[in-house]
Amino acid sequence: MTLYTWRHPKPMATDGRCIGQSDVAVDKRKLKRLAHRIERFVRRHQLPKVIWVSPLQRSFKVGQILAQRGFACHVAPEINFGQWDGQDWAQIAKQEIDDWCANFAHFAPDGGESLQQLFERVENWLSDMAAQNSGQKPVLAVGHAGWITAAKMIDAGQNIPKIVADWPVSVAYGERQDLPFLF
């Protein structure tokens, strides 16, 4: 199964903030541009018009535009940073950040999920997608940096990072990743 996944467009007014499930706005033109690129890609490669998105507007609204153009649109959740979500990184207590860095794979902010939990959720979703179509049909998604990074690491057979320095650079906004999962 090949997963074609695009990172959502850059949201507005989020620099310096911890963003996971915060529902932040994106310029409508950027949403339409990404939807158009996905539609062209699907048409060029004769792929099924089925897309997975998160329930957050920076991803969901791309799915809505594609649904108006004949796509089936399905929703899957994004990482939960709990009480950190939406805060300026500078406002999060230094001790909490230190605790996260000291236990990168397993620390979860209050009310949030750990990196381990994110990886398990992503891997389960990928396995479900492969099982639903016998691993034959490609799957398309518009996702978020953490989710896409987890999927890339799972695809590469990499372990969950134990330290912050092992977390790879995020995919750029609007960029596509092609991941050929073998289940």
Side-chain angles (χ1 to χ4, degrees), residues 1-3 122-131 134-136 154-155 179-183:
M1 169 189 90
T2 300
L3 171 65
V122 172
E123 190 161 22
N124 288 337
W125 183 84
L126 292 166
S127 294
D128 288 348
M129 291 299 98
S134 303
Q136 301 302 308
I154 292 166
D155 180 52
L179 305 172
F181 288 92
L182 302 172
F183 283 95

Side-chain angles (χ1 to χ4, degrees), residues 13 27 33 36 49 53 84 88 91 96 110 119 132 134 136-137 142 146 148 155 164 172 177 180:
D27 182 290
R33 276 193 292 257
H36 183 68
K49 292 175 87 174
V53 298
W84 291 6
D88 289 342
Q91 301 299 81
E96 289 185 50
D110 286 342
F119 270 69
Q132 285 179 24
S134 303
Q136 301 302 308
K137 293 180 188 170
V142 177
I148 293 169
D155 180 52
V164 176
Q177 296 287 296

Side-chain angles (χ1 to χ4, degrees), residues 20-21 53-56 75-81 112-129 144 146-148 150-151 154 160 183:
Q21 292 191 356
V53 298
S54 91
L56 304 172
V75 179
E78 176 47 30
I79 190 166
N80 184 353
F81 280 114
E113 72 182 329
S114 69
L115 196 55
Q116 174 75 42
Q117 291 168 313
L118 170 66
F119 270 69
E120 289 170 2
R121 188 165 48 79
V122 172
E123 190 161 22
N124 288 337
W125 183 84
L126 292 166
S127 294
D128 288 348
M129 291 299 98
H144 305 267
W147 190 95
I148 293 169
I154 292 166
I160 299 167
F183 283 95

Side-chain angles (χ1 to χ4, degrees), residues 13-178:
T14 58
D15 289 344
R17 290 177 52 203
C18 176
I19 302 297
Q21 292 191 356
S22 294
D23 204 7
V24 293
V26 175
D27 182 290
K28 290 178 184 177
R29 293 169 299 190
K30 291 180 181 180
L31 295 166
K32 288 179 182 177
R33 276 193 292 257
L34 181 56
H36 183 68
R37 281 201 329 264
I38 293 169
E39 185 178 33
R40 272 195 341 253
F41 180 82
V42 166
R43 190 174 35 242
R44 185 177 328 118
H45 297 283
Q46 298 178 351
L47 299 173
K49 292 175 87 174
V50 178
I51 191 96
W52 285 85
V53 298
S54 91
L56 304 172
Q57 65 179 311
R58 57 193 185 267
S59 174
F60 187 75
K61 286 188 175 185
V62 175
Q64 285 182 315
I65 293 166
L66 291 169
Q68 292 170 353
R69 299 175 183 179
F71 279 67
C73 182
H74 303 284
V75 179
E78 176 47 30
I79 190 166
N80 184 353
F81 280 114
Q83 292 182 352
W84 291 6
D85 211 6
Q87 290 189 46
D88 289 342
W89 283 105
Q91 301 299 81
I92 299 170
K94 182 184 179 317
Q95 185 59 54
E96 289 185 50
I97 299 289
D98 290 347
D99 292 346
W100 182 35
C101 292
N103 190 10
F104 191 57
H106 301 286
F107 179 88
D110 286 342
E113 72 182 329
S114 69
L115 196 55
Q116 174 75 42
Q117 291 168 313
L118 170 66
F119 270 69
E120 289 170 2
R121 188 165 48 79
V122 172
E123 190 161 22
N124 288 337
W125 183 84
L126 292 166
S127 294
D128 288 348
M129 291 299 98
Q132 285 179 24
N133 66 36
S134 303
Q136 301 302 308
K137 293 180 188 170
V139 176
L140 291 83
V142 177
H144 305 267
W147 190 95
I148 293 169
T149 300
K152 284 173 54 177
M153 293 180 80
I154 292 166
D155 180 52
Q158 296 174 329
N159 292 325
I160 299 167
K162 303 287 187 235
I163 61 172
V164 176
D166 290 340
W167 186 254
V169 174
S170 295
V171 61
Y173 291 107
E175 184 177 319
R176 186 186 81 237
Q177 296 287 296
D178 303 350

